Amino acid sequence: MALRSLIVALALSAASALVPASRPSAARSAVVVREGPLDAVGDALESFAAPPSDASLPSGSFGAVITGGAAGVGYAYADEFLARGHQVMICDIKDPASAVSALKAKHGPDAKIFGAVCDVSDTASVRAFAKQSQEKLGTVHYWVNNAALNGGRKPFLEVSDEAIEAVVKVNMFGVLICTKVAMELMFDQAGVTGHVFNTVGSGVRGGGTPGYVTYGAAKRGLPQMTDSLVAELEGKTQGYSWPPSSTPGAVNVHTLSPGMVFTDLLLKDSTPELRKFPFGVLAATPEEVARDLVPKMLATTGTGTFVEYLTRPRTLLKFFNRFVKQEKSDIIDDDGNVIKKDGVAYNEDGVRALY
């Protein structure tokens, strides 16, 4: 009861702090306000957790590149970009042909979805993929560094040397080289401002990541990398002039935080306790995250934006729905097991197949 009262108080405080003096901007999706006091709190949180409305997004068809796009949230990003009429190039360490076929089956044979094999930890592979992306899309407006590897949930001394190397090469070196190549590509696109989004994960806010020491350490470095690039792009590096004013195009870099997503990366080696909390309260499906983050990426201007799914309003909303309104997860049951629905395929870790 004390927890319920605390969450209500926090939600009311947050909702009142977020409500502007005038009516909410049309830039956010409309909500239906109901009469009960708890419903009013939920509606306010839902309104401020909502992504930008379609009417507020830039018009036109854009080219989006997504690494690690054959599964999980990367596949969901591709699906959402296509649903909005954009062109997409995905890559994966495995052949993404089946993912491309599934997206064409959903969006039509003329859907502008392309795929290629790419090892993001290999420079030559990344450069070849970037060249293919430009050939297929013509112009690359958005580059999403989504590919990741966590190496499994184990005590640090039980992680093999090879696994440590692989996790660092994918999550740190891979993002570095992909960002460098994407920036080079975008600077050469006359009259175009490109956006690079670097995906962060556990440990990004400074907490420890027991069981994922290497993954957390690699991900923790990405905001620093992005902040450094932002400073360089703003001309704040003493001793030399950069970026050059003569480049045909422009580039902005940002941080992307999908939060906890029901994918292999999250559920593999997880325990019932972790699945009950925090996963069962805060985690979301790949589709939910993509529906929220793709419009946020499209709406991003300037440089150095932190684009996240689990914003303060959304986090409060999830706690409010679970502990105040007593709404249960439709993904995780009370015992911490994945709820498997009839007619849906799942892998051995309980991850739902997206296609």
Side-chain angles (χ1 to χ4, degrees):
M1 188 65 182
L3 176 62
R4 184 177 188 271
S5 298
L6 176 60
I7 292 171
V8 170
L10 288 171
L12 284 168
S13 175
S16 63
L18 288 168
V19 173
S22 59
R23 296 183 64 182
S25 168
R28 293 194 175 273
S29 302
V31 296
V32 177
V33 178
R34 298 182 293 275
E35 295 182 358
L38 290 184
D39 286 334
V41 173
D43 287 335
L45 291 174
E46 186 73 55
S47 175
F48 286 97
S53 68
D54 290 351
S56 69
L57 302 181
S59 59
S61 179
F62 303 110
V65 171
I66 303 165
T67 68
V73 73
Y75 178 87
Y77 290 152
D79 187 14
E80 186 66 21
F81 271 112
L82 288 168
R84 293 173 173 275
H86 304 298
Q87 306 171 67
V88 181
M89 179 76 172
I90 63 172
C91 76
D92 211 283
I93 191 67
K94 62 182 182 181
D95 188 350
S98 58
V100 171
S101 296
L103 289 167
K104 279 188 174 291
K106 180 175 182 178
H107 296 282
D110 295 329
K112 302 296 184 182
I113 173 67
F114 310 97
V117 174
C118 177
D119 178 357
V120 298
S121 68
D122 180 83
T123 301
S125 184
V126 172
R127 291 199 173 278
F129 172 63
K131 183 178 180 181
Q132 289 174 290
S133 297
Q134 199 163 32
E135 290 172 350
K136 295 292 186 181
L137 301 179
T139 302
V140 177
H141 299 87
Y142 301 92
W143 183 297
V144 184
N145 284 319
N146 170 73
L149 179 70
N150 69 12
R153 185 171 180 269
K154 297 178 182 178
F156 184 58
L157 293 185
E158 293 182 14
V159 182
S160 69
D161 297 349
E162 294 77 13
I164 291 173
E165 182 178 4
V167 170
V168 172
K169 286 183 73 175
V170 169
N171 296 310
M172 176 53 71
F173 176 77
V175 175
L176 281 164
I177 195 61
C178 281
T179 299
K180 182 175 188 287
V181 170
M183 290 176 68
E184 291 171 349
L185 182 158
M186 289 173 174
F187 271 131
D188 280 339
Q189 297 180 147
V192 175
T193 297
H195 296 270
V196 179
F197 292 87
N198 293 322
T199 303
V200 295
S202 299
V204 67
R205 296 194 183 279
T209 53
Y212 302 101
V213 172
T214 310
Y215 175 79
K219 286 293 187 180
R220 180 78 185 276
L222 297 183
Q224 196 280 339
M225 165 198 156
T226 302
D227 288 347
S228 297
L229 285 172
V230 168
E232 288 194 359
L233 289 167
E234 292 178 342
K236 295 179 179 178
T237 307
Q238 296 183 9
Y240 64 96
S241 178
W242 199 88
S245 58
S246 59
T247 56
V251 185
N252 293 322
V253 293
H254 314 278
T255 299
L256 184 67
S257 176
M260 301 178 193
V261 189
F262 286 115
T263 64
D264 267 329
L265 209 63
L266 184 75
L267 291 177
K268 186 175 179 60
D269 301 321
S270 64
T271 64
E273 290 73 21
L274 280 173
R275 291 193 291 271
K276 282 190 287 186
F277 185 85
F279 300 172
V281 175
L282 295 175
T285 65
E287 296 94 333
E288 288 175 304
V289 173
R291 283 194 298 268
D292 182 79
L293 290 185
V294 168
K296 287 179 179 177
M297 285 189 268
L298 291 168
T300 298
T301 59
T303 194
T305 305
F306 191 92
V307 180
E308 62 179 333
Y309 172 73
L310 279 176
T311 57
R312 185 178 69 165
R314 185 167 296 283
T315 302
L316 280 170
L317 178 63
K318 284 179 174 286
F319 275 98
F320 181 81
N321 287 340
R322 178 64 186 93
F323 297 111
V324 177
K325 298 182 71 176
Q326 298 292 303
E327 293 180 359
K328 294 187 177 183
S329 169
D330 61 353
I331 305 293
I332 305 295
D333 67 20
D334 291 340
D335 297 319
N337 301 308
V338 175
I339 299 172
K340 296 183 178 180
K341 300 173 182 177
D342 293 339
V344 179
Y346 297 85
N347 72 9
E348 60 183 11
D349 295 310
V351 178
R352 174 175 55 87
L354 297 183
Y355 60 92

